[in-house]
Amino acid sequence: MKHLLDTDSLTKDWTERLFKKAAIFKKEIILTHRQGEHLKGLHAGLLFFEPSTRTKASFHMAASMLGADPVTVEVAFSSIQKGESLEDTVMTLDAMGCHFLIIRHGEDQAAAAAAKVARQAHVVNAGDGAHEHPTQALLDAFTILEKGKKFEDLTILFLGDVLHSRVTNSNLSLLKTLGVRKILASGPANLMMPEVERSRHGIKYLAQLDDALSQADVIYVLRPQKERHAEEARIVMAQYRQSWGLTSERVAKSVKKDALIFHPGPMNIGLEIDRDIADGPHSCVLDQVANGLAIRMAVLDTLHQDC
Ligand code: NCD
């Protein structure tokens, strides 16, 4: 595989090999504070057209922990501000010899457009519009496994702004490939994926949040993606928390004792999730972040090894 653009194209076998490699990197490099030399002499271009904290920092660290040199293009101070297109920017970094181009962009399919024009670089999609965010789904599945859950037995609930969530999109394909059979969604009707899409993915929509919470082994909380909302979808904060927030009261009342709570970050504390839930015993938020590093190291190394 040359590029990582989505999760549709990933096989179970490829994913399991990636997870094995990520576990080795975690044990032998991350936890021992060593530096690998697997990608020594290579350059990893980071092109982030949308804000990012964890994805950008984690790709940067992943590249350098394997010996590659991260090259950050500061989009706000780059020639993009002079009207240069994504394609021209990609071709420029590719021509300089960047071995990887890690791209986040506000438009669906931006990573695929970059892959079309890159002559030698491996393109990695770090989130494109409401389309896909494959490394997020990979680190989520890796974390579910690490917590001892079995995909075949799992009921996962996506809660919140499913409609605009590239994280959900990437998770849906990957989780199905890995054997998950029961996928639920809950959240405001105007932020829900259309019914045709839901039935295509085999998702059951539950309008009663407590009902959905009581069935879920993994609760995946999503932020309302305000930047992608049309004017009419604007949410009222107090109402959102009351109707759809993962509050302490709701968790105490409806959530299974051994349920795991996931959130890709950034979290809006007090809106979609309460502080003590984000920091509480069910929460896997920081495990997700930590595993993101191992997964991204494994992705870069696998793309490099594969061709
Ligand atoms: C997500 C993203 O950017 O898609 N965050 C992330 O990468 N960890 C989710 C979000 O912004 O809500």
Side-chain angles (χ1 to χ4, degrees):
M1 199 168 82
K2 169 104 175 141
H3 308 293
L4 177 62
L5 304 179
D6 53 47
T7 52
D8 272 342
S9 44
L10 303 182
T11 63
K12 193 166 183 223
D13 182 58
W14 187 94
T15 308
E16 285 172 354
R17 277 188 289 122
L18 184 94
F19 287 176
K20 273 199 192 120
K21 188 178 280 199
I24 294 171
F25 283 155
K26 184 168 178 175
K27 187 162 162 247
E28 295 181 357
I29 298 182
I30 300 173
L31 297 177
T32 55
H33 308 288
R34 295 217 185 97
Q35 206 200 20
E37 301 215 323
H38 304 61
L39 305 179
K40 203 171 163 57
L42 305 181
H43 299 278
L46 295 161
L47 260 172
F48 280 62
F49 293 75
E50 276 190 347
S52 170
T53 301
R54 66 220 86 221
T55 307
K56 189 174 174 188
S58 139
F59 269 115
H60 189 287
M61 285 177 71
S64 65
M65 285 174 88
L66 289 177
D69 188 19
V71 180
T72 304
V73 176
E74 296 299 344
V75 169
F77 303 102
S78 72
S79 295
I80 292 151
Q81 303 308 326
K82 301 178 188 165
E84 187 161 69
S85 69
L86 168 69
E87 284 83 352
D88 282 321
T89 308
V90 164
M91 287 194 282
T92 302
L93 288 165
D94 186 65
M96 278 175 202
C98 273
H99 200 79
F100 302 99
L101 287 174
I102 298 150
I103 298 177
R104 167 166 291 191
H105 199 280
E107 308 238 319
D108 292 16
Q109 303 292 349
K116 266 203 194 105
V117 297
R119 287 205 290 200
Q120 57 148 9
H122 300 281
V123 173
V124 182
N125 183 0
D128 57 343
H131 176 232
E132 286 258 4
H133 190 354
T135 57
Q136 179 69 44
L138 287 164
L139 73 88
D140 293 333
F142 183 81
T143 307
I144 292 173
L145 271 186
E146 198 181 60
K147 294 282 172 187
K149 301 275 183 197
K150 296 221 163 38
F151 292 123
E152 296 73 26
D153 309 334
L154 200 74
T155 298
I156 181 160
L157 164 68
F158 290 92
L159 167 60
D161 188 355
V162 175
L163 179 64
H164 300 99
S165 175
R166 56 193 177 202
V167 170
T168 306
N169 277 344
S170 285
N171 260 291
L172 289 175
S173 317
L174 186 70
L175 291 172
K176 270 186 279 171
T177 302
L178 296 175
V180 175
R181 291 186 293 250
K182 284 199 77 182
I183 302 175
L184 308 176
S186 194
N190 62 341
L191 298 180
M192 205 35 64
M193 199 180 249
E195 204 187 329
V196 277
E197 285 292 298
R198 292 203 305 267
S199 62
R200 188 168 71 80
H201 289 295
I203 304 175
K204 191 169 166 197
Y205 174 61
L206 294 174
Q208 292 296 325
L209 178 53
D210 287 310
D211 181 17
L213 290 175
S214 67
Q215 297 182 41
D217 303 302
V218 173
I219 299 159
Y220 205 117
V221 186
L222 302 162
R223 169 181 76 89
Q225 305 249 325
K226 290 178 211 147
E227 70 276 25
R228 295 186 223 288
H229 290 179
E231 206 52 53
E232 66 273 16
R234 294 260 177 254
I235 58 158
V236 181
M237 301 267 278
Q239 264 170 28
Y240 189 95
R241 179 177 181 272
Q242 209 176 18
S243 308
W244 303 108
L246 198 59
T247 61
S248 315
E249 300 73 42
R250 269 203 181 103
V251 171
K253 181 172 160 231
S254 305
V255 167
K256 288 187 190 177
K257 288 265 166 305
D258 63 344
L260 304 176
I261 295 174
F262 277 54
H263 193 306
M267 294 186 283
N268 294 277
I269 298 292
L271 182 65
E272 75 267 12
I273 191 165
D274 278 4
R275 175 86 267 162
D276 56 340
I277 300 306
D279 298 343
H282 294 280
S283 175
C284 299
V285 172
L286 295 178
D287 302 290
Q288 290 172 273
V289 173
N291 285 334
L293 185 53
I295 285 292
R296 290 175 177 123
M297 288 164 78
V299 163
L300 298 180
D301 189 56
T302 302
L303 294 178
H304 177 58
Q305 296 286 331
D306 278 3
C307 32

